[in-house]
Amino acid sequence: MSTQVEIKVYPNKLDLDLFESCIGFVGQTLDDWLKKNVPDYYEREQPLFSVTINDSHLLPSKWVTYTFKSNDDIKLIVEAKDPATIAYAVIAIVAVGYAVYTANQIPDNYNSTTPDGSSIYDVNTQGNKPRLMGIIPEAAGRHLIYPDYLTMPRREYIDNEQWLYLMLSVGSGEYEILPEEVFIANTPVKSYTGDVFYEIFGPGDDVSIHEAHRNVYTSSEVGSTSGSTGIELKGKITSTGGENNTYSYSFSGKQIIAFEEEYEPEIGNFKHRTALPFEEGEIVKIQYANNPENDGYYEIIDKNTQGNELKKLDGQYQEDTTWTGFVTESNSYAKVFTEDGGGDGEFNGPFFAVPEGEVTDQLWLDFSMPRGLGELDDDGNFQNRSVNILVEYRAEGALEWLQAPTILFSNATNDQLGETIPITLPEKIRPEVRVKRTTQASDDTRIYDDVYWTALKAELESATKYDGMTTLAVRIRGTNNLAGSAENKFNLIATRVLPVFENGVWSEPRPTTDIAPFFAHVVKSAGHADSKIGLEAIEALHAIWHERGDEFNAVFDSESTMFEVLKRVLAVGFAEPTIDYGQITPVRDQKRTIYKHMYQPDNYIGMLKRSIKLIDDDEPDGIEVEYFSPITWKSETILCLLPGDLGINPEKVRAFGITNRDKAYQYGMRKRRSRRYRRTRFDFKTEMDALNSRYLDYCALADDIPGFEQTGRVLLVNGRSIFVDDDGLDWQTGEEHILAIRKPDGKLSGPYNATKGSANNEVIIDDDLDFTPVFDGSIEPPLYMFGINERWCNGVLIRDIKPSSTDQVSVTAELDDDRVYLDDDSTAPSEENIVIPPIYS
């Protein structure tokens, strides 16, 4: 049995597919292994990595005593907390370096793809909508929002006025919403005094105190959420017996004949009788016949005037096969009701009040009387008139109908009337509901009694709170001023409330449009702790962004990855996200004067490769930036041109998150200047030296072009006298000279103003070195770069670091140019000063 054990080293906790395999031995302690295999390892109060053995966490206090066993699954996971820790101070230098490289290779697809359309940014679809199975929108900064429906809009008649209830989601998180920035379409809500009321609820607040929280389903068979005329409840045509009857019936066998009797005023009696057919398939209810055995429900199976054929029903729908026929009656004044179909005197429905699979115990029925309700007397005065409405319901599959309390409408007016009738059921069921008018209608033009059934509504399970999101409950009076715009044009301007990292601590949450707070929020909302955020970098950049007035104002309402979101958030501040030893850290592309590291031919492997991109004929000659106007809340564009640009073929760029014209111009000009002036690229290889650098580090790079810098090794340091390995330094008359020296960790010392010493290889610098050089052969001697003030190095930005083996790293760098930053604080030209390029045929 082998005495070796495998030790897996994971350089990046965010990617457990990447690890380096190392060898330990059975019986060896972790402390022994670290001291023998990691030269710069030492015990720290907070170790840079965690240890799990057989998926159990091993405390640092047991690293000295625990001994490896043959079947142990040993994992060392780098969790560096110190961003300044250099590569060779961590466990596995190659694996860690590769992790830094892979983490920085973030695909730049911000402007290479078109973002998904949304209800915010597509002016043609702006409006309130349900977001079924969709994500909850998340806003940053200050932005226009069309809240999404949490429940479907609901209308209700109160005191003969129609009110609209809306329960809306503002978005994920907490927001500040000012009263003057709440609108219906383009009109502030405050203009509708007494007509619009709303209440804002923070994440987790109890929303049940507002009537709008109810999750109410509106049956589409009766009316829709946008309102409709509804179903007219027509007058009954059945006979009630007595001297005023106009219908009589004869029952014989399995037939029924209906007679319409015409009254003759001259003789004071009914004279003419006409036989009438029923409708085939119609269900009739016979009541109060001369022979009670004839009472019940029947279905017409054949219609004619000589005798309509029927079959008897048990309940209503199942045929009673034991029925042998009617007890014969002639000219009976029984009551005969037609139960279904919605005609005169018939039931309207039945309609299910809730979708399949749902139940309820609360119904609402809306009725309207568009011409009012009353009767004009001979003097033109309105007299009272009443209408009775019968409502029946039953559970799905039940045979018997249950009757709700009779509804009575009574009034004396020709003003439009409306009323919502609540019906509480004794238990939760899936109810079928049917409605009919039991008061006979009149054709008299002086009588106003038209009644419409406009809505059937039922309450489903209703949420009482919404964790993690801000909601809005709205109650709107339906007036002519609001018309139909209120239902889907309710919008507002909200400012995100977030904590801000300042002076080393998080502040209390407050309204903010700053970039840094939302950047940190995105990282933390993905499940990462503060330890995974480069807080020092965040705090430093926050001060810069805030002073410049850089803001991020946007709404995310489509799916994305965390890094894609972070790229958008940081882009408006000229920054990008990187991962540095497990910490997600923003790096800003800004003008720099202090060089981080030094690279020259003595630490290159092979030759330095320089490539320059020349301007071609098809290259865009400007940048057209699209941004969101905070005045119109619609997209606008601005053209960004350099001297000589015609703007005929501009590159189109979307400045997502920018709502300021000046900032959009600065954003576009930075891109335009980068395209124009950053055209030189350097590629080179080092041993492990390049792993010292980070993405966008500003470094000093030497090349071998004659007349530029000279490089080599330092042989001796005596105070401010630096002796180098070249006796032929090129001292140019009348020029100021510079000397820069490389420290053991790769960082640049200096640059120092240099003067010629007494010896040919002696350079005297104007300040003391900020490190102590070592010349005993234990480490590489310091390297130097020498040249005149304007040509002693190439100032480059590190763009790519890629380990290609255990002793070789490939680097890509870009020559920086101060002209890139010249418009970072510029004001956008006024509209009248923008030159529109000519259009050529």
Side-chain angles (χ1 to χ4, degrees):
M1 181 174 65
S2 172
T3 59
Q4 292 185 346
V5 292
E6 183 183 24
I7 300 174
K8 297 178 181 178
V9 179
Y10 296 83
N12 183 2
K13 192 174 183 178
L14 301 178
D15 184 4
L16 295 183
D17 292 329
L18 174 68
F19 66 89
E20 180 182 15
S21 181
C22 302
I23 299 299
F25 297 93
V26 172
Q28 188 178 28
T29 68
L30 178 62
D31 186 67
D32 289 339
W33 184 85
L34 290 169
K35 290 177 179 178
K36 290 180 181 179
N37 292 276
V38 183
D40 292 299
Y41 169 74
Y42 65 93
E43 294 183 14
R44 299 169 61 103
E45 181 178 349
Q46 187 176 17
L48 298 180
F49 53 92
S50 61
V51 179
T52 63
I53 296 182
N54 303 324
D55 294 326
S56 296
H57 180 65
L58 185 67
L59 296 174
S61 60
K62 295 188 178 181
W63 291 3
V64 178
T65 58
Y66 183 85
T67 57
F68 298 148
K69 299 176 179 55
S70 59
N71 294 323
D72 277 349
D73 180 16
I74 306 168
K75 298 177 181 178
L76 277 59
I77 304 174
V78 176
E79 299 194 43
K81 301 298 188 296
D82 177 10
T85 304
I86 57 176
Y88 58 76
V90 189
I91 301 173
I93 187 167
V94 173
V96 171
Y98 185 73
V100 173
Y101 157 71
T102 55
N104 285 331
Q105 306 313 299
I106 303 167
D108 184 6
N109 59 2
Y110 173 58
N111 287 311
S112 63
T113 60
T114 302
D116 293 336
S118 73
S119 60
I120 301 297
Y121 297 104
D122 185 351
V123 68
N124 296 316
T125 61
Q126 285 182 343
N128 309 117
K129 299 177 181 178
R131 193 176 287 269
L132 299 176
M133 305 303 292
I135 66 169
I136 301 173
E138 182 142 6
R142 181 177 184 273
H143 209 281
L144 175 75
I145 295 175
Y146 280 86
D148 297 319
Y149 293 140
L150 289 170
T151 61
M152 290 308 294
R154 172 170 64 92
R155 285 179 162 81
E156 181 176 334
Y157 291 111
I158 302 175
D159 296 332
N160 290 317
E161 294 179 325
Q162 191 179 63
W163 289 80
L164 173 67
Y165 291 96
L166 303 173
M167 191 68 199
L168 302 168
S169 164
V170 176
S172 178
E174 186 178 355
Y175 300 84
E176 178 188 60
I177 302 170
L178 302 178
E180 60 271 20
E181 294 185 330
V182 180
F183 307 89
I184 292 178
N186 297 317
T187 304
V189 162
K190 64 181 182 180
S191 300
Y192 299 107
T193 305
D195 290 334
V196 181
F197 306 89
Y198 66 88
E199 188 171 351
I200 300 168
F201 295 92
D205 287 352
D206 182 9
V207 300
S208 64
I209 62 175
H210 198 286
E211 188 68 16
H213 90 284
R214 294 179 181 272
N215 181 21
V216 176
Y217 174 80
T218 301
S219 172
S220 59
E221 288 92 339
V222 179
S224 64
T225 57
S226 60
S228 65
T229 303
I231 300 172
E232 183 179 2
L233 302 180
K234 299 180 180 180
K236 66 177 183 177
I237 61 166
T238 59
S239 175
T240 59
E243 62 180 3
N244 292 321
N245 286 344
T246 57
Y247 292 90
S248 63
Y249 304 92
S250 292
F251 306 102
S252 178
K254 293 188 176 182
Q255 293 183 331
I256 181 175
I257 303 174
F259 297 100
E260 181 181 7
E261 299 182 348
E262 184 178 349
Y263 182 75
E264 290 288 346
E266 291 80 4
I267 62 174
N269 205 342
F270 296 97
K271 182 178 181 181
H272 300 289
R273 302 173 74 231
T274 305
L276 298 174
F278 289 91
E279 292 296 326
E280 190 173 310
E282 207 166 39
I283 296 173
V284 298
K285 179 182 179 182
I286 299 174
Q287 191 175 7
Y288 306 134
N290 294 334
N291 296 283
E293 296 90 338
N294 291 336
D295 288 356
Y297 289 98
Y298 300 84
E299 181 179 347
I300 307 298
I301 59 176
D302 181 32
K303 67 172 185 175
N304 56 72
T305 58
Q306 284 74 41
N308 300 274
E309 296 286 339
L310 299 90
K311 66 179 179 181
K312 191 171 185 179
L313 302 178
D314 179 8
Q316 263 196 49
Y317 291 103
Q318 302 298 321
E319 181 179 1
D320 182 359
T321 57
T322 64
W323 183 59
T324 59
F326 289 112
V327 176
T328 302
E329 291 186 46
S330 299
N331 304 326
S332 170
Y333 289 108
K335 289 184 179 179
V336 179
F337 302 91
T338 52
E339 293 294 317
D340 297 288
D344 282 343
E346 299 177 6
F347 270 108
N348 294 272
F351 305 116
F352 280 111
V354 296
E356 187 174 358
E358 299 287 349
V359 293
T360 187
D361 61 1
Q362 183 62 55
L363 302 175
W364 291 272
L365 282 74
D366 288 356
F367 299 93
S368 71
M369 287 147 274
R371 300 173 62 230
L373 183 60
E375 182 177 354
L376 285 172
D377 62 16
D378 294 337
D379 297 326
N381 300 314
F382 264 98
Q383 304 297 315
N384 190 78
R385 185 165 179 83
S386 299
V387 175
N388 287 315
I389 305 296
L390 177 64
V391 178
E392 292 185 344
Y393 66 90
R394 67 179 179 184
E396 181 179 16
L399 299 178
E400 296 296 330
W401 288 94
L402 302 177
Q403 186 172 310
T406 300
I407 299 170
L408 171 65
F409 297 128
S410 183
N411 216 315
T413 180
N414 62 350
D415 293 334
Q416 182 174 349
L417 301 175
E419 191 166 344
T420 296
I421 306 297
I423 299 175
T424 301
L425 307 181
E427 61 179 341
K428 286 184 178 291
I429 58 174
R430 187 189 183 207
E432 287 183 282
V433 180
R434 62 183 190 176
V435 174
K436 76 173 179 179
R437 172 179 177 151
T438 59
T439 301
Q440 185 170 346
S442 174
D443 294 332
D444 194 326
T445 58
R446 297 189 300 176
I447 295 176
Y448 298 79
D449 64 354
D450 294 342
V451 180
Y452 291 85
W453 182 20
T454 58
L456 170 61
K457 296 169 289 188
E459 183 174 12
L460 306 179
E461 185 176 353
S462 301
T464 59
K465 66 176 182 176
Y466 294 91
D467 294 326
M469 59 194 296
T470 297
T471 57
L472 192 72
V474 186
R475 181 170 175 257
I476 303 173
R477 188 199 311 268
T479 67
N480 291 333
N481 292 336
L482 294 177
S485 63
E487 183 171 322
N488 61 6
K489 291 297 182 182
F490 200 92
N491 64 92
L492 50 86
I493 298 172
T495 304
R496 190 63 184 270
V497 175
L498 292 170
V500 180
F501 192 75
E502 296 174 316
N503 302 317
V505 296
W506 290 104
S507 70
E508 288 296 317
R510 66 182 190 229
T512 178
T513 58
D514 288 317
I515 299 170
F518 191 74
F519 171 87
H521 165 74
V522 171
V523 178
K524 295 173 77 169
S525 65
H528 301 294
D530 284 352
S531 60
K532 297 302 179 184
I533 306 173
L535 293 177
E536 291 183 3
I538 278 287
E539 187 170 18
L541 290 180
H542 172 63
I544 296 173
W545 288 326
H546 187 76
E547 183 179 357
R548 283 177 41 83
D550 290 339
E551 300 177 350
F552 184 75
N553 301 306
V555 176
F556 292 93
D557 58 0
S558 57
E559 289 185 339
S560 187
T561 66
M562 183 186 73
F563 260 102
E564 287 173 342
V565 171
L566 293 180
K567 281 179 68 67
R568 289 187 164 193
V569 173
L570 295 179
V572 301
F574 306 136
E576 297 179 57
T578 65
I579 296 180
D580 191 16
Y581 293 116
Q583 288 189 322
I584 303 171
T585 304
V587 178
R588 187 173 188 268
D589 183 1
Q590 57 194 354
K591 184 176 181 179
R592 309 176 193 192
T593 57
I594 299 177
Y595 297 97
K596 197 73 175 287
H597 299 99
M598 188 175 92
Y599 297 100
Q600 50 109 310
D602 289 85
N603 58 342
Y604 295 159
I605 295 177
M607 302 294 292
L608 175 72
K609 179 181 177 181
R610 179 199 296 256
S611 55
I612 301 175
K613 182 181 179 182
L614 301 177
I615 298 177
D616 58 57
D617 294 337
D618 296 329
E619 187 171 304
D621 60 344
I623 300 283
E624 184 180 63
V625 179
E626 178 188 351
Y627 69 100
F628 219 56
S629 168
I631 299 174
T632 64
W633 293 109
K634 294 178 175 60
S635 295
E636 296 187 4
T637 60
I638 185 170
L639 199 59
C640 302
L641 305 175
L642 287 173
D645 287 342
L646 295 178
I648 297 174
N649 179 35
E651 177 185 354
K652 298 183 186 299
V653 172
R654 186 178 181 211
F656 185 79
I658 291 181
T659 56
N660 178 284
R661 191 168 184 270
D662 288 340
K663 292 299 174 182
Y665 180 74
Q666 294 168 12
Y667 182 85
M669 289 306 297
R670 167 66 81 90
K671 286 191 174 292
R672 180 65 187 124
R673 288 181 172 276
S674 296
R675 301 281 196 274
R676 171 67 67 85
Y677 299 120
R678 284 182 177 166
R679 309 182 75 90
T680 301
R681 166 177 160 170
F682 297 95
D683 292 280
F684 61 96
K685 295 181 180 179
T686 72
E687 293 183 345
M688 308 308 291
D689 307 40
L691 292 178
N692 292 322
S693 295
R694 302 288 179 269
Y695 185 68
L696 284 187
D697 272 358
Y698 185 56
C699 297
L701 185 72
D703 59 27
D704 53 2
I705 297 178
F708 281 76
E709 65 277 350
Q710 294 174 267
T711 62
R713 299 174 181 268
V714 176
L715 301 179
L716 179 64
V717 174
N718 183 13
R720 296 186 178 183
S721 292
I722 312 297
F723 295 87
V724 300
D725 63 353
D726 188 350
D727 292 336
L729 293 177
D730 185 13
W731 296 92
Q732 300 182 32
T733 304
E735 296 287 351
E736 295 180 356
H737 295 78
I738 295 294
L739 182 73
I741 300 176
R742 182 176 180 269
K743 299 179 185 180
D745 61 3
K747 292 183 179 178
L748 184 142
S749 176
Y752 302 98
N753 292 318
T755 56
K756 188 175 183 180
S758 56
N760 289 338
N761 67 337
E762 180 184 6
V763 179
I764 300 174
I765 58 178
D766 63 343
D767 200 356
D768 296 334
L769 289 178
D770 57 0
F771 74 103
T772 302
V774 177
F775 296 99
D776 61 4
S778 61
I779 60 174
E780 187 179 41
L783 306 179
Y784 74 88
M785 296 172 65
F786 172 81
I788 63 174
N789 191 35
E790 300 298 327
R791 291 204 308 262
W792 68 273
C793 77
N794 293 293
V796 298
L797 298 175
I798 301 298
R799 287 292 184 182
D800 194 14
I801 300 173
K802 182 178 180 180
S804 54
S805 67
T806 57
D807 59 357
Q808 194 170 106
V809 180
S810 299
V811 183
T812 298
E814 186 176 60
L815 184 64
D816 199 17
D817 192 312
D818 289 345
R819 291 174 292 181
V820 169
Y821 313 102
L822 292 181
D823 280 310
D824 284 0
D825 299 302
S826 295
T827 301
S830 60
E831 298 283 354
E832 57 268 20
N833 290 335
I834 296 179
V835 178
I836 306 298
I839 299 176
Y840 299 96
S841 59

